Amino acid sequence: FMYQILVCDDDREIVDAIDIYLTQEGFRVWKAYDGLEALEIIRNQDIQLLLIDIMMPRMNGIRATLKLREESKIP
């Protein structure tokens, strides 16, 4: 079983760096660049962990996390 982690940040370089480290450790990494993208991925994939930035365009990390908590308890 491969754990799936969603990394969400509007800074693509940060997302890519985290992706490199997590992939090397054997995790499946999904990438999102704002809260709306993150919620869409979570609704369609079996994500076990969300790493999310707070300050992002369209939907920030706090609003996305509050919305996610209505549907899920993903850490």
Side-chain angles (χ1 to χ4, degrees), residues 4-8 22 28-33 37-42 47-52:
Q4 299 192 94
I5 299 174
L6 173 56
V7 179
C8 181
L22 292 176
R28 167 68 166 97
V29 177
W30 292 85
K31 301 176 187 180
Y33 303 102
E37 279 187 65
L39 291 174
E40 185 66 25
I41 291 170
I42 287 169
I47 303 296
Q48 283 80 43
L49 177 67
L50 170 62
L51 300 176
I52 190 166

Side-chain angles (χ1 to χ4, degrees), residues 2-62:
M2 184 184 311
Y3 287 101
Q4 299 192 94
I5 299 174
L6 173 56
V7 179
C8 181
D9 194 315
D10 59 320
D11 186 328
R12 291 175 183 267
E13 290 181 8
I14 291 173
V15 173
D16 289 343
I18 294 171
D19 176 32
I20 289 167
Y21 288 113
L22 292 176
T23 300
Q24 287 176 348
E25 294 298 321
F27 297 103
R28 167 68 166 97
V29 177
W30 292 85
K31 301 176 187 180
Y33 303 102
D34 64 55
L36 292 175
E37 279 187 65
L39 291 174
E40 185 66 25
I41 291 170
I42 287 169
R43 288 185 184 116
N44 293 302
Q45 303 300 327
D46 184 24
I47 303 296
Q48 283 80 43
L49 177 67
L50 170 62
L51 300 176
I52 190 166
D53 185 30
I54 294 174
M55 304 274 299
M56 293 182 294
R58 294 199 325 151
M59 180 182 283
N60 68 40
I62 293 172

